[in-house]
Amino acid sequence: MTTTVSAPLDVAALRADFPILGRTVRDGKRLVYLDSGATSQKPTQVLDAERRFLQERNAAVHRGAHQLAEEATDAYERARALVADFVGARADELVFTKNATEGVNLVAYAMGNAATSGPEAARFLLGPGDEIVTTELEHHANLVPWQELAKRTGATLRWFPVTDSGRIDLSDLDTVVNERTKVVAFAHQSNVLGTVTDPAPIVARAKQVGALTLLDACQSVPHMPVDLHALDVDFAIFSSHKMLGPYGIGVLYGRAELLAALPPFLTGGSMIEMVRMEGSTFAPPPQRFEAGTPMTSQAVGLGAAVEYLSELGMDRVAAHEHALTVAALAGLAEIPGIRVLGPPLVDGDVADRGGAVSFVVDGVHPHDAGQVLDDQGIAVRVGHHCAWPLHRRLGVPASVRASVYVYNDLDDIDAFLAGVRETQRFFGVV
Amino acid sequence: MTTTVSAPLDVAALRADFPILGRTVRDGKRLVYLDSGATSQKPTQVLDAERRFLQERNAAVHRGAHQLAEEATDAYERARALVADFVGARADELVFTKNATEGVNLVAYAMGNAATSGPEAARFLLGPGDEIVTTELEHHANLVPWQELAKRTGATLRWFPVTDSGRIDLSDLDTVVNERTKVVAFAHQSNVLGTVTDPAPIVARAKQVGALTLLDACQSVPHMPVDLHALDVDFAIFSSHKMLGPYGIGVLYGRAELLAALPPFLTGGSMIEMVRMEGSTFAPPPQRFEAGTPMTSQAVGLGAAVEYLSELGMDRVAAHEHALTVAALAGLAEIPGIRVLGPPLVDGDVADRGGAVSFVVDGVHPHDAGQVLDDQGIAVRVGHHCAWPLHRRLGVPASVRASVYVYNDLDDIDAFLAGVRETQRFFGVV
Amino acid sequence: MQLQQMYQEIILDHYKNPHGRGLRDPYDAESFQVNPTCGDEVTLRVRLDGEQVADVSYEGQGCSISQASTSVLTDLVVGKPVGEAFKKLDAFLELMQGRGEVEPDEDVLEDGIAFAGVARYPARVKCALLGWMAFKDAVARAEGKA
Amino acid sequence: MQLQQMYQEIILDHYKNPHGRGLRDPYDAESFQVNPTCGDEVTLRVRLDGEQVADVSYEGQGCSISQASTSVLTDLVVGKPVGEAFKKLDAFLELMQGRGEVEPDEDVLEDGIAFAGVARYPARVKCALLGWMAFKDAVARAEGKA
Ligand SMILES: Cc1ncc(COP(=O)(O)O)c(C=O)c1O
Ligand SMILES: Cc1ncc(COP(=O)(O)O)c(C=O)c1O
């Protein structure tokens, strides 16, 4: 990566915004949090924004005419605009979901609902003979909903394989994505390997054959500058809790024209146009896709999170994580008996690889390795990280994953590397 | 209602837990918040519990093996147990959803998924000739998902009518619920009229014909003691934000045996048993229905909310609201030109009627009435309150709704009644 | 009292004595619009005579704001060229979405300037626009036909 | 160091030298169990001889805890009446779900008491129970057949 930035992140200063990092675990060990790929910690600014909202202007949004309701609605819609701006989209192209997983399910179910919707939804119709394409490195969230959609509609699920170095293998792009393809869903950045996929060739081919694209941006939007209009994907999803924001809220982006034609998914209050016992009609997007009382204060918190990230500067965030990733990879390369999954360092650097470093320790099961690390205060993730087929492909049942974020520093990486050596020592494999 | 309680709620004291009630609106008017039927305010205790969780033990639940992840998982599951206890259910019968609306959709979509699931799901199968029953007073959340399920499966939607006084008309119970009926969905307490429906006869008839029951408990669980096992319904839903808890979390209750057989709805991480590219199998409930990263801190907040309510005592909460409701109804009855919807006072009291008071002011559109009330600092809701068919049935396009909760007192009711008179004066209808 | 800013005399007059109310024949196109939060609705018909708005007739139920603004609409557009009517529509839209920050032009909006106060209440903006959206839609339909 | 409490010598011994490992014929029933978070799995076969557990054989992949506890399981149940084996299963379950608060009975659990330390790590309890759940399921199947 060749990001040129004026000044690096002042990690020491920003760590003060994350009081949890000051706590100790396991009998007084300093907490080394390397599990941000699962969920990030949240800065005081985000918690304060949410609390302020709740203590000063809380009311049901889009439903009331009194002053509190006005203020609450403004705060909620302002958050939508902030997030849209952060990812290069228009506010009315953003739907708030409960997490990224709901976003994929929304698109999959809504496409299924095209079968019982009007002619404007015909472009989403799917049946036997049609194909859905995903990849072998997807998070379960971007795989299982498509398996289920295929099961419900009779469509066929296909997927891009993964190369030995952990990249999506596009060598058969024109075969895998073809005239029968209805939708292509793929991850921008792998949550296991950190590999970043350039959407351009996939999007170009999908356009050629008239297929929709859905980008799983869960691990890219929190970690690098992302401009969805520039990427030209049709749909994208990401989750607030992985980008310094609250739990309970995710984002589905859809091109305006597509959202306008997409049938509803969840139905109920606030998403209707007119309701009679005999049947109902539905509001325009984004309301059409936000049934029920929304995650109001969480939207406000997410708005504060993107303000926080914007102030740091996403270029700087990416450069910072890249430096830590290179340090981790370099350190692991020096330890015999460690197999790193995904693209290795070449001449001390690696391109298109974000800050998730997964590996196995020869002779030590990942669960056991994670336990020894935990005992030293180092929080990593062990298992298949919701990417079971990818692990099967790479010939390992599970792995250990260290993932970094804005508040990590080189001390964390050093502690982590020392911890890995201790793991080997403890289990007597060195 | 004949609740006998030792001491009434100490409203003056508990109002200190809700700093928002101390703010002013519209040029210095005291805020009189009478819109808790839409969403409640949240006590400091709930905000503190959530913040403490996020600053001390935040991590991804059910996924990590490190200490933070353990503590977070414990907090999340402790919250589930607290809520289960609050409504007389077992922890593994409770699924966390994003709101109550998702809960209804979950059941409706999962029933639809029975068509592509194994034989254990056959009891949920639905097709042409089968019937779904709801009522004319439902919130859109408990109506539109069933309309859509009927549309997708070819089943027929039927409904109980509503009497002039706003009660569900069960005189044709045995015809409406019959051998073809698959599910009967109805509100425990109307969000517009406050009318409380005794589930017993409906549940009994449903059992006779082998139909499932779903109780919309959104307006009962926050306001009165509810024991779901005693009510013997199959499913129930309610929302945290209406019961002093955070936004972004709701609850679906399902009898253990039913949840065990119900096909999944949202799919993705954390709800699987085994994933291969070719297909997946699913975890037991409640995990099966909680795809993706859950609303972790929100669950903790909801746990704190039910602790707060339990400490107040739900009997006392119900008695308090009953007193305020009677005062409001009595006051409105003295104002000429007011039409109250729903059961009126008889001899100064009314049974089976919760704290939602909806009405129309002769000659003044509800929106205009709401505006005058708002100008005096009184926050009420205007419109159809997501119960459009009910308003049509009662012959009004919309209404004004005042709804009370634990922090309201008789001063609020007096201010409200004065506000209603001012409305009439302003528009010259008296 | 802020309330007087919203409920200007002009608005209340139009509300009590709406202009052009009732559905009339002949017409070129009809539009039905509804406000999903409160259930207010309007059915509005447009008759065009070449480039002229020859008649606007309507029926509906709604609050003072929605009723009065539809009444004002008919005053403003009937007898005007479609292009000019749409300029007024744009001006009214700008006023209503301006959060009370937009200074209305009385030459263009006439009685419509009375709605400046409504623009400060976002929840009521939809009310004020209900009839105007119906007009826009009906003209589009009428022109689509022609 | 807390770690030693979890990784008792007995556990590491069973992990390095598992007892009864490998799938054997004949058998009455087989169970496949998986830990959905880490992908660990076990295939376990049971052969009953009347009321006796005649053999338990298994194969799988997993962490030291799951492998060792399956090895301990075979020591504890093979050659025992099914009723007694299930008593041990109940005792082991109680121990593992006890959060480190339950005092294990060595007469019943023998080497199994070494897992007391694991019970303090809730995320690892599933690992320790993997083989036991397979045993329970396999016996149920075998008895269902008989
Ligand atoms: C009776 C009733 N049912 C369902 C709902 C829907 O709840 P939510 O918007 O939290 O999903 C509400 C509240 O809006 C309600 O009052
Ligand atoms: C690449 C990727 N996709 C999807 C998800 C699902 O996100 P969530 O659990 O917030 O729905 C995750 C995180 O778990 C992820 O890393």
Side-chain angles (χ1 to χ4, degrees), chain A residues 87-89 199-200 203 226-233 253:
Chain A
V87 294
V203 168
V226 171
D227 181 330
L228 293 173
H229 280 178
L231 294 179
D232 206 14
V233 291
Y253 158 84

Side-chain angles (χ1 to χ4, degrees), chain A residues 121-313:
Chain A
R123 63 202 295 182
F124 301 109
L125 266 175
L126 204 79
D130 291 327
E131 295 178 0
I132 299 165
V133 174
T134 183
T135 90
E136 211 178 355
L137 63 63
E138 296 309 308
H139 188 282
H140 296 162
N142 201 24
L143 168 59
V144 187
W146 302 116
Q147 292 178 334
E148 294 294 299
L149 177 63
K151 199 162 84 181
R152 287 195 299 272
T153 59
T156 302
L157 185 73
R158 303 187 60 159
W159 53 89
F160 291 109
V162 164
T163 67
D164 289 339
S165 72
R167 300 213 176 260
I168 300 175
D169 183 353
L170 296 179
S171 49
D172 286 330
L173 174 58
D174 290 357
T175 324
V176 175
V177 178
N178 58 55
E179 276 63 33
R180 296 182 300 278
T181 308
K182 282 293 188 175
V183 57
V184 187
F186 62 101
H188 201 188
Q189 176 169 322
S190 159
N191 66 312
V192 178
L193 310 174
T195 44
V196 176
T197 299
D198 176 12
I202 301 175
V203 168
R205 175 61 181 161
K207 278 188 191 297
Q208 238 171 32
V209 299
L212 298 167
T213 49
L214 182 143
L215 186 71
D216 178 350
C218 280
Q219 297 288 348
S220 56
V221 164
H223 301 292
M224 58 164 104
V226 171
D227 181 330
L228 293 173
H229 280 178
L231 294 179
D232 206 14
V233 291
D234 291 319
F235 296 105
I237 52 139
F238 52 98
S239 252
S240 157
H241 68 93
K242 292 186 199 281
M243 51 193 287
L244 309 182
Y247 287 104
I249 184 164
V251 175
L252 168 70
Y253 158 84
R255 283 202 296 114
E257 172 227 355
L258 287 172
L259 285 187
L262 193 69
F265 167 45
L266 300 179
T267 58
S270 299
M271 57 72 70
I272 56 96
E273 181 187 58
M274 192 130 184
V275 176
R276 300 180 178 281
M277 291 308 292
E278 294 76 14
S280 304
T281 56
F282 305 111
Q287 273 69 39
R288 187 190 307 158
F289 304 104
E290 295 184 356
T293 305
M295 326 60 177
T296 319
S297 66
Q298 289 83 9
V300 172
L302 174 57
V306 305
E307 288 188 305
Y308 188 95
L309 285 170
S310 299
E311 213 160 293
L312 296 184

Side-chain angles (χ1 to χ4, degrees), chain B residues 104-410:
Chain B
V104 182
N105 279 274
L106 191 164
V107 176
Y109 272 104
M111 289 182 72
N113 288 344
T116 46
S117 297
E120 77 288 354
R123 64 202 292 182
F124 301 110
L125 265 176
L126 204 80
D130 291 327
E131 295 178 359
I132 300 164
V133 174
T134 182
T135 91
E136 211 177 356
L137 62 64
E138 296 308 308
H139 189 282
H140 296 162
N142 201 24
L143 168 60
V144 188
W146 302 117
Q147 292 178 336
E148 294 295 299
L149 177 63
K151 199 161 86 181
R152 287 195 300 274
T153 58
T156 302
L157 185 74
R158 301 187 61 159
W159 53 89
F160 290 109
V162 163
T163 67
D164 290 339
S165 71
R167 302 216 175 258
I168 301 175
D169 182 352
L170 296 179
S171 49
D172 285 332
L173 174 58
D174 290 357
T175 323
V176 175
V177 178
N178 58 57
E179 275 63 32
R180 297 182 299 277
T181 309
K182 282 294 188 176
V183 57
V184 186
F186 62 100
H188 201 187
Q189 174 169 324
S190 159
N191 66 312
V192 177
L193 311 174
T195 44
V196 176
T197 299
D198 175 13
I202 302 175
V203 169
R205 175 60 183 161
K207 279 189 190 296
Q208 236 171 35
V209 299
L212 299 166
T213 48
L214 181 142
L215 186 71
D216 178 349
C218 280
Q219 297 288 349
S220 57
V221 164
H223 301 292
M224 59 164 104
V226 172
D227 181 329
L228 292 174
H229 280 179
L231 294 179
D232 206 14
V233 292
D234 292 318
F235 296 104
I237 52 140
F238 52 97
S239 252
S240 157
H241 69 92
K242 292 187 200 282
M243 51 193 287
L244 309 183
Y247 286 104
I249 185 164
V251 174
L252 168 69
Y253 158 83
R255 282 202 297 113
E257 171 228 355
L258 287 172
L259 285 188
L262 193 68
F265 167 44
L266 300 179
T267 59
S270 298
M271 56 73 69
I272 56 96
E273 181 188 58
M274 191 131 185
V275 176
R276 300 180 179 279
M277 291 308 291
E278 294 77 12
S280 304
T281 55
F282 306 110
Q287 273 69 40
R288 186 192 306 158
F289 304 104
E290 295 184 355
T293 303
M295 328 53 177
T296 319
S297 66
Q298 289 83 9
V300 172
L302 174 57
V306 305
E307 287 187 306
Y308 188 94
L309 284 170
S310 299
E311 214 160 292
L312 295 184
M314 290 308 293
D315 277 326
R316 295 206 296 168
V317 169
H320 172 69
E321 292 187 26
H322 184 67
L324 297 182
T325 306
V326 168
L329 290 171
L332 287 175
E334 282 174 17
I335 309 178
I338 299 293
R339 176 182 164 201
V340 173
L341 309 179
L345 288 184
V346 177
D347 297 333
D349 205 356
V350 58
D352 298 328
R353 193 193 211 286
V357 175
S358 296
F359 61 98
V360 289
V361 181
D362 286 350
V364 183
H365 187 279
H367 236 137
D368 293 320
Q371 200 76 48
V372 180
L373 289 168
D374 171 49
D375 195 66
Q376 298 164 76
I378 302 156
V380 295
R381 178 135 175 228
V382 297
H384 50 58
H385 323 312
C386 299
W388 205 330
L390 174 62
H391 279 81
R392 226 177 261 119
R393 161 65 182 89
L394 298 175
V396 292
S399 64
V400 180
R401 179 186 72 186
S403 54
V404 298
Y405 209 7
V406 292
Y407 33 69
N408 292 118
D409 57 19
L410 285 172

Side-chain angles (χ1 to χ4, degrees), chain B residues 26-49:
Chain B
R26 302 289 181 221
D27 292 334
K29 309 280 177 17
R30 177 175 99 90
L31 170 65
V32 177
Y33 188 74
L34 292 172
D35 198 15
S36 295
T39 201
S40 71
Q41 299 302 338
K42 295 109 183 45
T44 312
Q45 287 85 338
V46 167
L47 307 188
D48 285 347

